[in-house]
Each structure stands twice: as C-alpha cells, then as structure tokens.
Amino acid sequence: MESEPTADLIRAQLRRLRLHAELSQEEFGKLVHFSGSQISAIELGQRPFDRLFLRRADEVLTTGGLLTSLLRLAERYSQPNWFRPWLEAERQAQQLWCYHPTLVPGLLQTENYARAVIRADDMLSDDEVERRLAVRLDRQSVLSRQQPPKLIAVVEEAVLRRADESFRGLMVQQIAHLLECVDQPNVSIHVIPAEVSTHVGLAGPFTLALGNDSGWVGYLENQLDGTTIDKDGELTILIARWESVRSEALPHNQSALLMKEVMTSWS
C-alpha cells in the first residue's frame, strides 16, 4: 500500500517518533508485535508496511493518527489522473446525488460488500484489492466530517435482492448499514421498486456534486475509467436525468420499509 515519495516520509516519521519515545527497535517491535529486525527493515525501506502496522504504531507512539493519515494521503495521490478531479469535488461537496443501476453506491458500501465488489475483478492481486478498498472506505469519511454534505442516493430494489445463499449474510449486513445511514440527518436513500422496469438511469451510473462555489460537477464511470463532467450543457442533461431517476423512487419512509422487508424475507 506504499506510494513514493510519501512512503519515505512515513518511514522517516516512524523513526523520528520512535526515537522521540526513547524506544529501541526491539522495544518498539515488541509493542507492535514485530521483531526488532523487522522494524529495522521497515525503517530502511527493505520491508513494506501496511495499514494495520501503521495503526498499531500510531497507538503505541500516541501520534494522533499521523502515520495512517500520511498513508491515506499517499493513497489519494496514487490515484489515476482521471480520478483526482472527482475526488477533490467529492471532498468539497455541499451536496452529493448518487445513482448506480447495479450496485450500492460506493459511499454507502460496507467494508465486506465493497471488498466483494472489488474482488470480483479477478485480474487484481490481493494487495491491490485491499488498497482499493482502503481508498473507498477513506472516501466515506466525507459523510462524517464536521460539516458533511447532504447525500441523496437512489438504489434499485433489484440490487438489494441480488444475493445467492452465500451472499445473503453480506447483503443483510449491507442493508442494515443503509438503514443506519438514513438515521443520519445528512443522508437520504430512496429505492426504485422492481415494478419500474425501465427508466433513463439504466444507461449507467452517475454522481453529481454541488461545491462551495454553488457550481455542479458530475462524474461518470465505466469499465476502464471515469470522466469528470464540468461543462454546463452536459451538467444540465445530467441534472435532468437525476430528476427523472429520483422521481421513479419511493419516498424516504416507504424506501426504509422496503429495505426492512427485504431483510425480513431472508431471516
């Protein structure tokens, strides 16, 4: 999960904090369940570190989460160029409108659901799956910041019901998470019932973000990459399509009842 040159900065900070705490590599290693030689290898860049190690190091060295924050920064700037403009728009948004025809939107996915979705790409290594998962979960922190955006998400009933026997436990957990999310004043989730057979949103997922400057930005994703939309004409079309998709969905209370009914049907 490392990204240069931030990885070098993390190693340097780890060493500085360890020495400030007056801990030898052996003493520090025992506290984080590593050997002294393993700590030496990490500090010298001869052994990789991961999120779990940095989390333990933050706790032992009482850093206030400095090392894991640096890792999140490294992961953020290791994203492809086409994704970075959207990440910035998402972080600065006052409002977020999300729709996906086949999945729960990423900002509302549980860790287990997100991992299963990412792992469905069998071309990814386990390390890459976990790296992408960490980035996705980190993005969700926008919803719990001091002044979070208002998130409105539209999901398909078919998405909630798509689960074989081995996937049902994961989906029960996911729907329970959605119900917890709607208890937050800044989150609304609306379900398009299965009897709505066709609508304009089925052409593909999209998200809209309203920034602090009262300007909208859109995002479209496909199998290979994604596109940030900032042209007025294209945004006008996306906003009109959002209104159309939103109009097909059930109101807040009816959506919550439907989600509960899906969970009950599996218990």
Side-chain angles (χ1 to χ4, degrees), residues 35 41 53 57 77 125 164 179-180 197 210 223 225 254 260:
S35 68
F53 169 78
Y77 287 99
S125 66
D164 59 23
L179 290 168
E180 291 174 0
S197 56
L210 178 64
Q223 287 279 346
D225 55 28
Q254 291 183 35
K260 291 176 182 176

Side-chain angles (χ1 to χ4, degrees), residues 5 144 167 194 250:
S144 57
F167 203 65
L250 297 172

Side-chain angles (χ1 to χ4, degrees), residues 6-25 28-29 32 34 38-45 47-50 53-61 63 66-68 70:
T6 313
D8 291 335
L9 175 60
I10 292 174
R11 294 188 191 99
Q13 289 298 312
L14 174 65
R15 176 176 172 78
R16 181 186 66 81
L17 291 163
R18 177 181 62 76
L19 292 174
H20 181 73
E22 299 182 345
L23 292 171
S24 68
Q25 291 177 337
F28 175 65
V32 295
F34 275 63
Q38 288 173 322
I39 298 301
S40 175
I42 289 173
E43 291 183 353
L44 291 172
R47 177 188 174 98
F49 52 77
D50 60 16
F53 169 78
L54 293 182
R55 189 179 298 122
R56 288 174 178 163
D58 276 331
E59 292 172 355
V60 168
L61 300 171
T63 70
L66 173 63
L67 299 174
T68 49
L70 288 172

